[in-house]
Amino acid sequence: MIRVLVVDDQFLIRAGLVALLRAAPGIEVVGEATDGESAVEAAASVRPDVILMDIRMPGTDGISATERILTAASAAPGGAEPPRILVLTTFDLDQYVYEALRAGASGFLLKDAGPERLLAAVAGVAGGDMLFAPSVTRRLIEAYFHASSPVPDAPADLEVLTAREREVLKLIATGMSNPEIADRLFISEATVKTHFNRTMTKLDLGSRAQAVVLAYECGLVIPGSP
């Protein structure tokens, strides 16, 4: 079962999401929250696998909540997997979503997405497919990375990576999937995953989307390039 926490300050939207998820096989709604502060508390209490996080909420917004939840999860004893956070937004080119991806969110979904796409997104991020709709995510990153400040505690360059690790990271940042990268580089998909996992560890990153943001901000990928 995929354990899901639903966070949205609008009752009708939250209730609709909960009803849809509860009707789906293999998904259990383990909690609801009406703002970022209650989301942080609920995440610590119910330990969900996936969090559907509204990005714009009064008080503590989805960005701050994402940062606090993932920071707390990384500091927790026992090495438990942190929850995958899928942020919900009305607009695909949204500065708030960009900041959430930088904070470690696994991806984002438009609120007008259909039921099948929502359920596929939940299943995808729960299974480790951390970058949902990579082509849209790339447009979002290209639209906003110039105005951003450096990623906190990120290395100034990518010299800690091997040449192959940099190559894999660059292809991921352009929106390619692991199988596509494996075909491009004539290596196995397992080898792609190994290179990327080592990259994540070396750069102290928490999600695939966060790695894409860093690839742009470090100049590994140039906005507008093919």
Side-chain angles (χ1 to χ4, degrees), residues 147-188:
S148 69
S149 57
V151 177
D153 301 323
D157 54 48
L158 303 176
E159 291 182 358
V160 294
L161 304 181
T162 66
R164 181 64 92 184
E165 288 165 353
R166 286 196 299 272
E167 191 172 20
V168 168
L169 176 58
K170 182 175 182 178
L171 293 175
I172 285 173
T174 62
M176 294 180 69
S177 66
N178 287 353
E180 289 171 336
I181 295 170
D183 289 342
R184 171 71 66 87
L185 300 181
F186 302 103
I187 57 179
S188 70

Side-chain angles (χ1 to χ4, degrees), residues 158 161 166-167 169-170 214-222:
L158 303 176
L161 304 181
R166 286 196 299 272
E167 191 172 20
L169 176 58
K170 182 175 182 178
L214 182 61
Y216 277 87
E217 293 184 342
C218 287
L220 185 63
V221 179
I222 305 302

Side-chain angles (χ1 to χ4, degrees), residues 10-160:
Q10 298 183 48
F11 172 78
L12 290 179
I13 292 178
R14 190 175 69 254
L17 291 170
V18 169
L20 174 64
L21 293 169
R22 283 180 173 161
I27 294 178
E28 178 186 6
V29 177
V30 294
E32 301 177 42
T34 59
D35 56 33
E37 191 65 37
S38 59
V40 174
E41 296 173 359
S45 175
V46 302
R47 301 178 66 86
D49 301 312
V50 175
I51 301 175
L52 290 181
M53 177 77 75
D54 186 17
I55 201 69
R56 300 192 184 203
M57 296 179 288
T60 302
D61 62 19
I63 301 169
S64 298
T66 294
E67 292 175 339
R68 291 171 58 186
I69 289 169
L70 294 179
T71 298
S74 64
E81 281 288 321
R84 308 296 187 190
I85 298 179
L86 190 63
V87 295
L88 302 173
T89 181
T90 304
F91 309 104
D92 57 358
L93 295 182
D94 187 339
Q95 176 80 39
Y96 286 85
V97 178
Y98 175 78
E99 295 298 337
L101 295 177
R102 294 181 75 226
S106 295
F108 71 95
L109 190 68
L110 296 178
K111 285 189 175 183
D112 62 359
E116 291 184 1
R117 192 168 189 184
L118 171 66
L119 296 176
V122 169
V125 296
D129 185 11
M130 293 183 289
L131 187 58
F132 189 71
S135 61
V136 179
T137 302
R138 182 184 179 188
R139 287 196 298 114
L140 174 73
I141 292 170
E142 290 188 348
Y144 289 110
F145 99 104
H146 283 298
S148 69
S149 57
V151 177
D153 301 323
D157 54 48
L158 303 176
E159 291 182 358
V160 294

